[in-house]
Amino acid sequence: MDSEKDIAQALAAGGGIGFVAFPFQRHEPIRLAVPARTLSLSQEETADHRRLLASVPSPSAKSGEPGTYALRPSESPEQWCGSVADAARAVRRGELRKAVLARRIQMECDAEIQPSVVLRRLAHTFPSAYLFSAFGLVGASPELLLAKRGRMVESRALAGTIRRGGDAESDRRLAAWLQESGKNQEEHRVLREAVLDALAPSTTWIEANERPEMLKLANVQHLMTRVRAELVADHPSFLRLAAMLHPTPAVCGWPRDKAYEVIERLEGWDRGLYGGALGWVDAKGDGCLCVTIRCAEIHGKNATMYVGNGIVADSDPKEELAETRAKLGAILPALIAP
């Protein structure tokens, strides 16, 4: 869509609600889909906005079982580790505070992959995630970019990751290490500051936990900061506020323009909707957008998976590679499970 006016007109002409997607690149237009039929839910049913990321139907497939498959990364692990080392050197030189580098893995199957089946598997494994199947992208994101209802807004910033342990005690040890990790604390600090700085000028009050809490998922643990705020009466629109946040340092880096330069130089491929945002917006100006991570594009018998890591001055390439493999454990099992 070309402008907020175009989106408002489309929503008014449709059912009053639409699904929107922000591509990773800020210069690319926002995508909008207005469903032909909408449902009216009670306040109790809509209390948890994770449940409002309903899907835009994808083309049906004959089977949800891929059978045998092959994985082909866009670059070798050694090449990606070299890019991590390059980005870390740029941070140490003071060119930027953080860059987020992603890996792209192609999956080729001997049978068609059904997005609805993948989404059900993700819902079972990640019941608290923001689930989506829209614009060809299927995923279960743990990260909330922005939710707005009236003048109240919320964001949940995630940066800093460690794998899950095999039991409660190892989970606690790994979480304690993450809480004390200078590298991960710096990565999270950059994100927290950026989110607060973007929202604060448009609020009457804003609050965030001083120390990041732990978010435990089925495959990994994250450092998380919850941000809540009340907007001023003459506040920017929901989409404009989201655009101020997007893309956050969690998926791009900081400063944003320099991080874009580093990503373009080291990745060499178009992220599309990965690292963007996806969710809903309504004619009243409310909405909810999650960050499009832990996701895959599905095209018949093929899927493209994406995982990324924040790189700071003391990032270790081998540790970063291991972290991407842990994150891949969110989407890959949903694609190949029997």
Side-chain angles (χ1 to χ4, degrees):
M1 303 295 290
D2 293 330
S3 68
E4 286 189 67
K5 183 179 179 180
D6 293 332
I7 292 175
Q9 290 175 343
L11 292 174
I17 189 169
F19 299 97
V20 293
F22 284 57
F24 174 70
Q25 292 289 345
R26 288 170 62 87
H27 62 79
E28 295 183 10
I30 296 173
R31 303 182 190 181
L32 173 70
V34 179
R37 177 171 175 266
T38 58
L39 299 176
S40 178
L41 303 178
S42 69
Q43 288 291 329
E44 290 76 16
E45 290 172 308
T46 62
D48 186 348
H49 46 62
R50 282 188 296 269
R51 298 294 169 236
L52 298 184
L53 291 180
S55 64
V56 177
S58 301
S60 61
K62 296 180 180 178
S63 172
E65 310 302 338
T68 60
Y69 63 92
L71 300 180
R72 294 183 175 84
S74 57
E75 57 187 346
S76 70
E78 293 76 18
Q79 289 173 319
W80 192 79
C81 284
S83 295
V84 170
D86 192 327
R89 285 193 293 269
V91 176
R92 289 195 293 271
R93 289 194 298 267
E95 297 177 17
L96 71 170
R97 290 182 66 184
K98 174 183 175 181
V100 178
L101 295 184
R103 299 180 66 203
R104 180 177 62 174
I105 299 96
Q106 303 283 350
M107 179 180 179
E108 298 178 2
C109 305
D110 64 357
E112 290 192 353
I113 308 168
Q114 189 170 354
S116 60
V117 174
V118 175
L119 190 64
R120 284 198 298 270
R121 291 168 177 161
L122 289 171
H124 176 75
T125 306
F126 302 99
S128 64
Y130 298 90
L131 303 163
F132 55 89
S133 177
F135 306 101
L137 203 65
V138 180
S141 173
E143 187 164 7
L144 174 65
L145 179 71
L146 187 69
K148 176 181 176 293
R149 180 166 291 170
R151 287 171 55 181
M152 300 303 299
V153 292
E154 179 184 1
S155 182
R156 296 178 189 173
L158 269 62
T161 307
I162 191 69
R163 63 180 175 82
R164 290 293 303 269
D167 52 46
E169 180 56 32
S170 58
D171 255 1
R172 284 193 292 270
R173 287 198 303 268
L174 290 165
W177 178 90
L178 186 62
Q179 287 278 12
E180 300 303 322
S181 165
K183 178 263 181 186
N184 285 283
Q185 286 292 337
E186 170 62 12
E187 187 181 341
H188 191 87
R189 189 178 304 113
V190 173
L191 173 61
R192 184 182 187 278
E193 291 173 2
V195 172
L196 292 175
D197 288 348
L199 292 177
S202 302
T203 64
T204 59
W205 57 262
I206 188 168
E207 62 181 20
N209 42 298
E210 287 295 330
R211 184 174 174 82
E213 62 185 273
M214 294 300 304
L215 175 65
K216 295 182 184 293
L217 303 174
N219 58 323
V220 294
Q221 305 178 76
H222 292 294
L223 296 178
M224 179 176 72
T225 291
R226 299 174 187 265
V227 179
R228 293 179 65 252
E230 181 184 58
L231 298 172
V232 296
D234 187 22
H235 58 78
S237 69
F238 170 68
L239 292 178
R240 193 167 297 276
L241 285 167
M244 293 176 187
L245 292 171
H246 166 74
T248 73
V251 291
C252 180
W254 200 259
R256 184 181 287 144
D257 289 344
K258 186 61 183 180
Y260 267 131
E261 292 178 14
V262 171
I263 290 168
E264 184 175 355
R265 175 170 60 85
L266 296 178
E267 286 185 359
W269 47 271
D270 184 3
R271 290 190 182 183
L273 293 181
Y274 167 71
L278 190 152
W280 62 269
V281 62
D282 67 18
K284 297 185 298 183
D286 292 339
C288 178
L289 288 169
C290 71
V291 180
T292 46
I293 56 175
R294 316 295 152 79
C295 57
E297 293 178 8
I298 297 176
H299 305 284
K301 297 181 181 181
N302 300 318
T304 303
M305 296 170 286
Y306 303 92
V307 287
N309 279 14
I311 310 304
V312 293
D314 57 351
S315 291
D316 179 272
K318 291 183 179 179
E319 291 180 1
E320 299 296 343
L321 181 65
E323 184 176 317
T324 66
R325 288 169 173 163
K327 289 176 177 177
L328 192 63
I331 187 67
L332 180 58
L335 292 168
I336 65 175

